[in-house]
Amino acid sequence: MLSHPVILEDVPHMEDCCSALLHHIKRCSDVFVAASLSEEEAGGLVAQVARLREQLEAREQELRGLAATLGQWREELGGLTLWMREVEVFLHAEEAALGDMSTLEAQLKESNALQDDIETLQPNVENINETGESLVARCQAGSCFQADLREELRAVNRSWQTTVATAGQQNRQLVTALDTSREVTEMMREINMFLDQLEGELEGAGAHQPVTAAPELSQRTYRLLQLRDRTERKGEVLQRLSLVEVEQGGRPAGDLGARISAVQERWSEVTGPVHTSYTAMREATTDYGEFKTLVAQESDWLDRLDKKLRRSSKAAADAEEIS
């Protein structure tokens, strides 16, 4: 019994071994020293029994320590496995829709907390692996118990790696979804504020009123040109908004697509008159310019005709006087 190293086996078998050792320890206490032995022989026997008892007690303590280590290791293994099962529910929960800011923020907060938990648990996982490898090495080589123990260790490592990878991917996706939602919300707010202002300026520019004076024509054309240029610059924001993938990574779009469409429709309604009114004013300005040119040409022609007629009248008068 003492000639072989302590082998890690299943708990019932190890308990049986401990019971057997305790039985032998008790027998050492009950050893009878025959009176026929000499004092030297009796002393040697007592010393031999004492050494044997010490070896048996050390063996029993080693067995119990090994069994306790196995029990504690399995307890830690079970705790980690239970934690991963609970986390799995969160990792596979329904994804919040893009644009659902409150839900995305709440999910990201939980996801960040999960990342902190993973970082905290990493040393525990390393300790589980170190202890597990040590326990596997204490088993009888090639035994079923050693194979089972090794598979338990592999299974928990596979689950841990899957949990860490899935949690990391989810965290990155949530960060992207929340950033995109914030960007889209800000772009829609910016566009709507611009359209509110544009509606007021169009009204102030009299875009829908007829022009009644020549100076008003150039003034209105210039103001509409400014509004058109500002509209084209702000149109870059609308283009970026239109390129947003509302179903990012399979994430549901919710009502975000409808909200973007509403902004696009309003953009067309409000900015449409800017382009049409500016085009009409520019054409009117061109026509008015051409009209002024023709009027000037006609006036010049009439002036020259008038001078010519005056010279002809004077020449006729002079001729009459000479005659």
Side-chain angles (χ1 to χ4, degrees):
M1 180 180 290
L2 296 176
S3 61
H4 301 288
V6 174
I7 299 296
L8 179 63
E9 299 176 279
D10 59 86
V11 174
H13 190 272
M14 293 182 73
E15 288 177 350
D16 291 342
C17 290
C18 286
S19 298
L21 285 168
L22 289 173
H23 174 71
H24 287 296
I25 291 170
K26 185 176 183 302
R27 290 186 62 185
C28 287
S29 302
D30 297 338
V31 169
F32 174 75
V33 180
S36 59
L37 295 176
S38 65
E39 184 177 345
E40 183 178 353
E41 289 174 335
L45 178 60
V46 170
Q48 184 179 1
V49 171
R51 286 194 301 272
L52 178 60
R53 181 189 176 101
E54 288 177 0
Q55 291 174 348
L56 290 169
E57 288 175 343
R59 185 82 166 195
E60 191 263 344
Q61 289 176 2
E62 185 179 0
L63 268 172
R64 290 197 180 278
L66 193 57
T69 301
L70 175 62
Q72 182 180 357
W73 179 78
R74 278 190 164 150
E75 184 177 344
E76 292 176 358
L77 203 70
L80 180 62
T81 301
L82 180 61
W83 178 83
M84 288 189 291
R85 286 175 182 168
E86 293 173 349
V87 165
E88 188 177 1
V89 176
F90 169 69
L91 293 177
H92 294 88
E94 183 179 357
E95 293 181 328
L98 203 64
D100 187 351
M101 302 282 286
S102 58
T103 304
L104 283 171
E105 287 173 351
Q107 287 187 348
L108 182 58
K109 183 178 180 180
E110 288 187 58
S111 179
N112 287 336
L114 177 57
Q115 293 298 308
D116 292 339
D117 290 343
I118 288 173
E119 186 176 351
T120 301
L121 286 172
Q122 184 60 46
N124 295 11
V125 176
E126 293 172 0
N127 183 62
I128 286 174
N129 275 291
E130 184 179 345
T131 303
E133 292 294 344
S134 174
L135 290 172
V136 168
R138 296 296 299 270
C139 297
Q140 184 175 356
S143 65
C144 291
F145 186 73
Q146 185 186 54
D148 291 343
L149 212 60
R150 184 177 284 117
E151 181 53 33
E152 286 182 59
L153 189 58
R154 287 174 179 169
V156 77
N157 274 293
R158 283 195 299 268
S159 297
W160 173 257
Q161 290 165 5
T162 299
T163 299
V164 171
T166 306
Q169 181 183 22
Q170 182 200 56
N171 189 261
R172 290 188 296 272
Q173 289 175 343
L174 283 169
V175 169
T176 300
L178 185 57
D179 287 346
T180 301
S181 297
R182 285 172 175 164
E183 183 183 7
V184 168
T185 301
E186 175 58 27
M187 285 192 292
M188 289 193 295
R189 186 193 67 81
E190 182 180 347
I191 290 172
N192 278 319
M193 284 183 61
F194 172 77
L195 294 177
D196 290 341
Q197 184 179 6
L198 185 62
E199 283 179 327
E201 293 187 15
L202 279 172
E203 187 68 28
H208 307 295
Q209 302 297 324
V211 177
T212 57
E216 186 182 349
L217 179 61
S218 59
Q219 292 174 1
R220 186 179 300 183
T221 303
Y222 179 69
R223 291 183 68 181
L224 287 170
L225 173 62
Q226 290 180 313
L227 293 179
R228 189 205 65 173
D229 291 344
R230 285 170 52 198
T231 299
E232 289 180 351
R233 288 195 297 271
K234 192 62 68 175
E236 296 175 1
V237 179
L238 184 72
Q239 289 177 355
R240 295 205 312 273
L241 180 64
S242 301
L243 293 174
V244 173
E245 296 181 8
V246 294
E247 295 184 1
Q248 213 172 67
R251 184 177 298 277
D255 65 342
L256 187 62
R259 288 162 56 194
I260 291 176
S261 296
V263 171
Q264 291 170 329
E265 290 175 7
R266 188 184 177 211
W267 175 273
S268 299
E269 292 173 2
V270 177
T271 62
V274 174
H275 296 283
T276 55
S277 297
Y278 171 70
T279 300
M281 289 298 100
R282 185 183 60 186
E283 291 175 353
T285 301
T286 301
D287 293 343
Y288 181 67
E290 293 175 355
F291 171 73
K292 283 184 13 178
T293 300
L294 291 174
V295 168
Q297 290 175 349
E298 183 178 2
S299 178
D300 181 62
W301 181 80
L302 290 173
D303 287 341
R304 283 188 283 111
L305 179 62
D306 182 61
K307 289 178 181 179
K308 188 175 181 180
L309 290 173
R310 287 174 184 274
R311 284 196 302 269
S312 297
S313 298
K314 184 178 180 183
D318 291 341
E320 183 179 350
E321 184 177 344
I322 291 172
S323 61

